[in-house]
């Protein structure tokens, strides 16, 4: 898993920014992402990904062992759809790992 330090290092290396400036960018990016989703808006980066909140109401499931009804409370999910550039990159990774 790539942690914050690793991500900051990679972005700084690719962009030519200092690590200090990159930390500020990553923090601001996270804040804007959070604010956008909390305001009920979609967060979209063209050809990379789109994220939006989906509200799920309460529903009934069944415990497979006891067959008892279990109520799942209402909750929020973040729906993420990958864009074409990310999808192509991921398929290329999958193809190289299949060898």
């Amino acid at each position: 898993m790539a942690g914050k330090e690793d991500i900051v290092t990679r972005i700084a290396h690719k962009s030519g920014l200092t690590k200090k400036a990159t930390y500020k960018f990553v923090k601001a990016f996270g804040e804007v992402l959070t604010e956008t989703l909390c305001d009920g808006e979609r967060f979209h980066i063209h050809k990379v990904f789109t994220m939006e909140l989906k509200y799920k109401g309460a529903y009934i499931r069944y415990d497979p062992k006891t067959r008892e009804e279990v109520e799942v409370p209402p909750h929020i999910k973040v729906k993420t759809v990958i864009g074409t550039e990310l999808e192509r990159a991921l398929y290329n990774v999958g193809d190289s790992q299949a060898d």
Side-chain angles (χ1 to χ4, degrees):
M1 179 174 82
K4 183 177 181 181
E5 181 67 33
D6 188 40
I7 291 168
V8 167
T9 302
R10 289 180 188 187
I11 292 172
H13 179 73
K14 284 190 177 268
S15 68
L17 295 171
T18 64
K19 276 187 145 183
K20 187 174 182 179
T22 306
Y23 271 111
K24 284 183 178 181
F25 166 78
V26 169
K27 183 178 180 190
F29 182 86
E31 289 172 358
V32 170
L33 172 62
T34 302
E35 290 169 3
T36 302
L37 292 175
C38 287
D39 289 343
E41 299 177 66
R42 287 185 330 141
F43 188 89
H44 176 75
I45 298 179
H46 186 66
K47 295 187 179 182
V48 180
F49 68 88
T50 301
M51 298 174 84
E52 64 183 312
L53 294 181
K54 292 292 181 183
Y55 298 92
K56 297 199 62 148
Y59 56 94
I60 301 294
R61 299 291 260 184
Y62 294 92
D63 184 326
K65 290 183 180 178
T66 63
R67 308 301 269 165
E68 290 182 46
E69 289 185 355
V70 178
E71 182 178 348
V72 178
H75 55 281
I76 300 170
K77 293 199 173 237
V78 178
K79 178 182 175 186
T80 305
V81 179
I82 63 172
T84 55
E85 284 183 12
L86 179 57
E87 185 174 29
R88 284 187 193 124
L90 293 174
Y91 277 123
N92 290 338
V93 168
D95 290 343
S96 66
Q97 288 180 352
D99 295 335

